[in-house]
Amino acid sequence: MFNNLNEKWTVLLNEKNQKETINNLELFLKKEYKEQKIYPNLEEVFNLFNHLSVEKIKVVILGQDPYHGERQGNGIAFSVKEGVKIPPSLRNIFKELKLEYPNYTIPESGNLMKWVEQGVFLLNTVLTVREGEAFSHKGKGWEILTDKIIEIIDEKDEPVVFILWGNSAKKKKELIKNSKHLILEGVHPSPLAASRGFFGCNHFLKVNAFLKKNKRKPIDWSLE
């Protein structure tokens, strides 16, 4: 399955000595995809990486694992395919954008590819999941790989914003050592937590203020 991963990312991971991790993951996932219903579809697991090279990354938003409902996961954290009902966490993200940008139009679609195309790297720490079983692929090797991906991005010379929502994401703070980057920490946008500090975090405004300050093009968060 790693044959589907963009060659540039493969080279970077091999430079981080991740061949054994990749081989072990391939063995595990080959069995899982054969015996279980797994999301996202095999050809979509590396969707994010194949649309966004490390050179173009401006913002990293860290999620946990993919949506585990039918047709939801598409290889991009928080995003869903066209025509799929917007999940509660993503709905709360749109609500926060409306608070920060009063003229923002809450979209009908939850497809966030427009953000990816502008340099927003929507990364889950685990890239696959069994249908209906959240965190079912936790501890199988994905975290080792995605930690290395965070380290690769941290090595960039250009300033990057890392957004860490929720306790799982906040644990990754120690991987970000480059003082050029901005780290924004906060409450996860899930319905269980959002009211405890996600709303009013102003992270999207802070992202664009930082990018402008560093002479990088700000993100157009609209999806319409």
Side-chain angles (χ1 to χ4, degrees), residues 91-176:
R91 178 67 64 185
N92 284 340
I93 289 171
F94 292 155
K95 287 179 180 177
E96 172 58 21
L97 276 161
K98 182 70 173 176
L99 288 174
E100 297 183 29
Y101 297 92
N103 292 329
Y104 184 80
T105 300
I106 293 180
E108 296 296 322
S109 168
N111 185 339
L112 304 181
M113 184 58 71
K114 183 179 175 183
W115 293 2
V116 174
E117 290 170 349
Q118 296 177 79
V120 182
F121 198 70
L122 294 153
L123 176 68
N124 280 315
T125 56
V126 175
L127 302 188
T128 53
V129 67
R130 286 184 182 181
E131 182 178 40
E133 297 182 42
F135 306 115
S136 49
H137 283 181
K138 183 179 179 181
K140 304 299 183 182
W142 279 125
E143 295 93 338
I144 299 171
L145 215 58
T146 52
D147 280 1
K148 293 301 176 185
I149 288 163
I150 293 169
E151 290 177 6
I152 288 167
I153 299 168
D154 182 54
E155 292 168 1
K156 280 171 59 72
D157 287 330
E158 301 92 346
V160 173
V161 185
F162 288 84
I163 298 179
L164 312 179
W165 288 329
N167 292 332
S168 295
K170 289 177 186 177
K171 290 176 182 176
K172 306 300 181 182
K173 183 178 179 179
E174 63 187 30
L175 301 171
I176 306 162

Side-chain angles (χ1 to χ4, degrees), residues 29-217:
L29 291 169
K30 184 177 180 181
K31 186 172 185 291
E32 282 288 285
Y33 273 94
K34 184 178 180 181
E35 298 177 357
Q36 306 286 338
K37 181 65 176 175
I38 305 299
Y39 297 122
N41 296 330
L42 192 60
E43 65 274 11
E44 295 178 314
V45 172
F46 299 115
N47 202 6
L48 174 66
F49 300 86
N50 295 336
H51 279 90
L52 188 56
S53 64
V54 66
E55 294 86 3
K56 295 181 179 179
I57 294 172
K58 297 178 183 177
V59 183
V60 177
I61 300 180
L62 200 58
Q64 297 177 15
D65 66 342
Y67 296 122
H68 49 80
E70 187 175 1
R71 293 186 66 235
Q72 287 184 313
N74 63 359
I76 297 169
F78 295 106
S79 180
V80 290
K81 299 176 184 178
E82 295 287 346
V84 175
K85 184 179 178 181
I86 297 173
S89 292
L90 182 54
R91 178 67 64 185
N92 284 340
I93 289 171
F94 292 155
K95 287 179 180 177
E96 172 58 21
L97 276 161
K98 182 70 173 176
L99 288 174
E100 297 183 29
Y101 297 92
N103 292 329
Y104 184 80
T105 300
I106 293 180
E108 296 296 322
S109 168
N111 185 339
L112 304 181
M113 184 58 71
K114 183 179 175 183
W115 293 2
V116 174
E117 290 170 349
Q118 296 177 79
V120 182
F121 198 70
L122 294 153
L123 176 68
N124 280 315
T125 56
V126 175
L127 302 188
T128 53
V129 67
R130 286 184 182 181
E131 182 178 40
E133 297 182 42
F135 306 115
S136 49
H137 283 181
K138 183 179 179 181
K140 304 299 183 182
W142 279 125
E143 295 93 338
I144 299 171
L145 215 58
T146 52
D147 280 1
K148 293 301 176 185
I149 288 163
I150 293 169
E151 290 177 6
I152 288 167
I153 299 168
D154 182 54
E155 292 168 1
K156 280 171 59 72
D157 287 330
E158 301 92 346
V160 173
V161 185
F162 288 84
I163 298 179
L164 312 179
W165 288 329
N167 292 332
S168 295
K170 289 177 186 177
K171 290 176 182 176
K172 306 300 181 182
K173 183 178 179 179
E174 63 187 30
L175 301 171
I176 306 162
K177 304 180 186 301
N178 190 334
S179 60
K180 291 182 179 180
H181 304 322
L182 173 65
I183 301 173
L184 298 175
E185 300 178 75
V187 174
H188 195 275
S190 73
L192 294 173
S195 61
R196 299 200 297 268
F198 176 75
F199 294 125
C201 67
N202 288 323
H203 281 177
F204 300 100
L205 282 169
K206 290 174 181 177
V207 164
N208 280 342
F210 180 80
L211 292 175
K212 288 177 183 177
K213 180 181 175 182
N214 287 279
K215 297 180 171 54
R216 306 199 75 185
K217 188 176 180 180

